[in-house]
Amino acid sequence: MPRKGPVPKRDVKPDYKYGSKIVAKFINCMMIGGNKSIAEWIFYSALDLIEKKTGKPGIEIFNKAIENVKPILEVRPRRIGGATYQIPMEVDPHRQITLAIRWLINAARERRERTMIERLANELIDASNNQGGAIKKKEDTHRMAEANRAFAHYRW
């Protein structure tokens, strides 16, 4: 936490193929050890595989998957009178995208297909159809927020 004011948001340059900042952010989050070219190759190959499997443009499936995985509510811990309560709160739009990207990548990495290209393609297809690990994570988050709705009056 800085002492002087909020930290400014860094602006990501859009990717070269689709001109989308969300795609660029997704590739940056998928990158391991600074190998951006490999992350780009995996992502664009996955979109090509999606186009072959579904017959729809891969970028449309990707955008639909991100929209479906975005959480609306989450719980945040708050300490009140010696007890810690899980308080449901609405999620900021920037954090919605960040969480959706993180959940999609983690769910793709945990899948059992052979290559990361197949894993990512299948996870994006599942997420666009409201299925898969990332959607399950979103539903679990919403369920937790719904269960703790009684503590909503502690919101700050």
Side-chain angles (χ1 to χ4, degrees), residues 21-96:
K21 291 186 178 185
I22 294 177
V23 170
K25 191 167 178 160
F26 192 91
I27 289 170
N28 288 344
C29 291
M30 204 169 63
M31 176 171 50
I32 297 176
N35 293 321
K36 189 165 188 169
S37 59
I38 293 172
E40 286 176 339
W41 174 72
I42 289 170
F43 180 78
Y44 293 131
S45 300
L47 289 190
D48 292 340
L49 186 62
I50 288 170
E51 286 180 19
K52 284 180 189 169
K53 283 186 172 186
T54 63
K56 296 177 185 172
I59 193 71
E60 282 182 19
I61 299 288
F62 171 75
N63 288 332
K64 193 162 191 303
I66 290 283
E67 283 299 317
N68 288 348
V69 175
K70 278 186 193 176
I72 298 159
L73 291 171
E74 69 176 344
V75 290
R76 288 254 175 100
R78 177 135 189 243
R79 194 169 168 85
I80 297 163
T84 304
Y85 297 109
Q86 297 288 332
I87 299 171
M89 304 190 85
E90 290 182 7
V91 185
D92 182 61
H94 292 290
R95 184 160 165 78
Q96 283 182 349

